[in-house]
Amino acid sequence: MTSPAPDVRLASARGRWILFTTVLGSAMAMLDSTVVNVALPRIGRDLDADLAVLQWTVNAYLLTLAGLILVGGALGDRFGRRRIFVLGVVWFAAGSLLCGLAPNAGVLIAARALQGVGGALLTPGSLALIQGSIRAEDRGRAVGLWSGLGGVGAAVGPFLGGWLVDGPGWRWVFLLNVPLAALCVPVALRHVPESRDPQAHGRFDVLGAVLGAAALALITYALIEARSGSPFVVAAAVGGLVLAGAFVTVERRRADPMVPPAIFASRQFTAVNLVTVCVYAAFGGFFFLIVLQLQVVSGYSALAAGAALLPTTALMLLLSARSGELGERIGPRIPLTVGPLLCAAGMLLTMRAGPDASYVRDVLPALLILGAGMVTLVAPLTATVLASVDPGRAGLASGINNAAARAAGLLAVAALPLLAGMGPDAYLSAEAFDGAFRRAMPWCAGVLVAGSALAWATVRSPAPGAPHPQCRTQCGMTAPPLEPPGTARTGPPR
């Protein structure tokens, strides 16, 4: 049985409902990745936690999300993207409810891990639903709107989290997801058509999923606990690297791997995923630290710290769709080179946000430059990954790129405090945290510069919407290009 060809116009009522549903579902997961950050100081004080617990509060979610997001994409391709998307939304809401009711740090961390499982089910499906439903000629704008509005969800998270933390309390940061899920599920069931990959077959790569998740878990543990001097740290680091090597070996040898090596025959797909790792490692580390810096060092309330990041939200809301269209016209190389450099400059400027920082003089210019960089690169980055693969591989490719982004953020949150010399109680001391923040920002900027250089050296502008010829044959992709050369790229989602 094959899925019907994508035939919904974005401007139609059904097209708008599809965009609304996918944005709302993915925004739940993306928002939760950032909304929690602004609540971390209050969570730490209420639960009497050190910095490692705050890192695990963020990383338990990212760990299961990154480790299982490929499985989520494969499940959607096999059993129906709408079905798995809806299951993920319900699971995510259940995990959120448990987070909101958690009596201690251990339960909170475990509930965050459960949230990540739900996120792994819904995140790849949200973008793949656009691919499986929206007409090719509307897809570029749809992806731009999805990226921009989803980015707004992530960016508005700190503001919303601050309002909740200063108002009803940090637990409502999690409980808010329950009514959002109650809205998303019936809309998806009523308005979003089902789609799947007709080529999906064979067994699920359970061994690959276990090896990948275990490798991430051990490496994350080693980075977070390195300061403790525990004898298990070295063993965890070595074990994580060994399991990572085993994961690569298994994927190369299995008949139905979770990550088919042939998909990386597309140089464009490989290059943009490497750029994704650089960009989202920097973003993950930066957004983990900036709201702590503003509260611990600059003396902002949780609400003020969240509101301080609103300029990036406004820029993403206003300009992301146009950025996606511009990327289609001029190709991805320039946006993916310039965008990270702007972000790097913005992050370095945030080092001015010290004690008693003036928002207009010390914080706002940095965030405007950062927001300009995010607008420049986010939508073209997403669209370029999606345009590098066949539509039938949308769920898989979406999962790979999302896994790369989440794993990069996960490792950055684990490693950056270690690289910056943050002690377990650093977030309780303005002087100690300020010094560590100033040491951390050059690391973030350096990773972005590396991503920019990589994009300039490796990213090219292939025929619009056309997967790499070698990838087409080796991956079993037989569909023709979506548009002939010379038209605007409206290629498929990842």
Side-chain angles (χ1 to χ4, degrees):
M1 178 180 180
T2 60
S3 300
D7 196 38
V8 179
R9 297 305 305 261
L10 180 61
S12 67
R14 194 174 198 187
R16 290 191 293 268
W17 278 117
I18 291 170
L19 182 64
F20 170 81
T21 306
T22 56
V23 167
L24 181 61
S26 62
M28 286 174 55
M30 296 173 70
L31 183 149
D32 210 74
S33 298
T34 57
V35 71
V36 175
N37 289 353
V38 76
L40 290 176
R42 191 69 58 84
I43 292 173
R45 288 194 295 269
D46 285 357
L47 300 181
D48 193 24
D50 62 11
L51 182 64
V53 170
L54 302 189
Q55 288 174 276
W56 278 116
T57 300
V58 174
N59 277 350
Y61 173 80
L62 292 175
L63 179 61
T64 51
L65 178 62
L68 298 176
I69 201 167
L70 295 171
V71 177
L75 287 171
D77 285 345
R78 178 81 61 85
F79 297 112
R81 291 158 185 161
R82 185 186 66 180
R83 178 182 300 173
I84 299 303
F85 173 81
V86 169
L87 175 62
V89 171
V90 173
W91 191 311
F92 190 87
S96 299
L97 180 61
L98 184 56
C99 287
L101 301 176
N104 55 54
V107 174
L108 176 61
I109 292 171
R112 288 283 285 162
L114 289 176
Q115 263 193 313
V117 176
L121 295 175
L122 72 89
T123 300
S126 64
L127 194 53
L129 285 173
I130 292 177
Q131 163 61 24
S133 306
I134 301 297
R135 282 189 182 181
E137 57 265 32
D138 292 343
R139 229 173 268 150
R141 181 166 178 80
V143 170
L145 288 169
W146 180 91
S147 299
L149 295 174
V152 167
V156 80
F159 170 76
L160 180 60
W163 179 77
L164 292 171
V165 169
D166 287 343
W170 63 265
R171 295 180 184 276
W172 283 94
V173 166
F174 302 105
L175 296 176
L176 177 66
N177 291 318
V178 177
L180 293 179
L183 173 63
C184 184
V185 169
V187 172
L189 293 175
R190 179 175 177 83
H191 295 286
V192 178
E194 185 61 280
S195 65
R196 54 178 51 87
D197 179 8
Q199 300 181 41
H201 60 84
R203 298 180 179 180
F204 284 106
D205 184 12
V206 177
L207 179 59
V210 171
L211 288 174
L216 279 175
L218 288 175
I219 293 172
T220 301
Y221 172 84
L223 291 170
I224 291 177
E225 300 297 332
R227 294 181 300 265
S228 68
S230 168
F232 297 107
V233 169
V234 174
V238 173
L241 294 175
V242 170
L243 290 179
F247 171 78
V248 174
T249 301
V250 166
E251 296 306 282
R252 286 178 174 176
R253 295 180 177 177
R254 292 184 73 90
D256 294 290
M258 184 172 64
V259 184
I263 200 171
F264 292 99
S266 167
R267 179 180 176 182
Q268 189 88 316
F269 181 77
T270 303
V272 178
N273 273 286
L274 292 174
V275 174
T276 296
V277 169
C278 294
V279 166
Y280 281 91
F283 286 170
F286 174 78
F287 284 109
F288 175 69
L289 295 179
I290 185 61
V291 288
L292 288 169
Q293 174 75 2
L294 293 176
Q295 292 179 75
V296 174
V297 177
S298 301
Y300 287 28
S301 66
L303 176 59
L309 302 181
L310 282 178
T312 59
T313 304
L315 289 173
M316 292 289 289
L317 178 62
L318 294 173
L319 301 176
S320 281
R322 293 183 180 180
S323 174
E325 293 169 349
L326 177 63
E328 291 175 0
R329 291 198 299 270
I330 68 174
R333 190 184 189 196
I334 292 177
L336 298 188
T337 300
V338 174
L341 294 178
L342 288 172
C343 291
M347 290 182 187
L348 290 176
L349 281 177
T350 60
M351 293 167 63
R352 295 170 56 88
D356 302 317
S358 164
Y359 180 72
V360 173
R361 183 185 68 247
D362 301 320
V363 180
L364 181 59
L367 294 178
L368 289 175
I369 295 174
L370 174 66
M374 293 174 68
V375 166
T376 302
L377 73 90
V378 170
L381 182 71
T382 301
T384 304
V385 173
L386 305 181
S388 302
V389 300
D390 182 87
R393 291 303 219 184
L396 171 65
S398 175
I400 290 173
N401 189 250
N402 273 284
R406 309 313 169 193
L410 165 73
L411 296 176
V413 171
L416 197 56
L418 177 64
L419 294 172
M422 290 186 185
D425 299 322
Y427 79 97
L428 299 175
S429 167
E431 182 179 357
F433 195 88
D434 187 38
F437 180 82
R438 293 174 183 275
R439 293 189 294 271
M441 288 304 99
W443 283 100
C444 292
V447 172
L448 284 165
V449 171
S452 173
L454 183 64
W456 179 257
T458 61
V459 173
R460 296 294 182 267
S461 300
H468 188 283
Q470 185 180 2
C471 184
R472 182 184 307 281
T473 57
Q474 293 185 10
C475 296
M477 302 176 183
T478 56
L482 293 177
E483 297 86 19
T487 60
R489 184 186 302 112
T490 53
R494 2 171 214 215

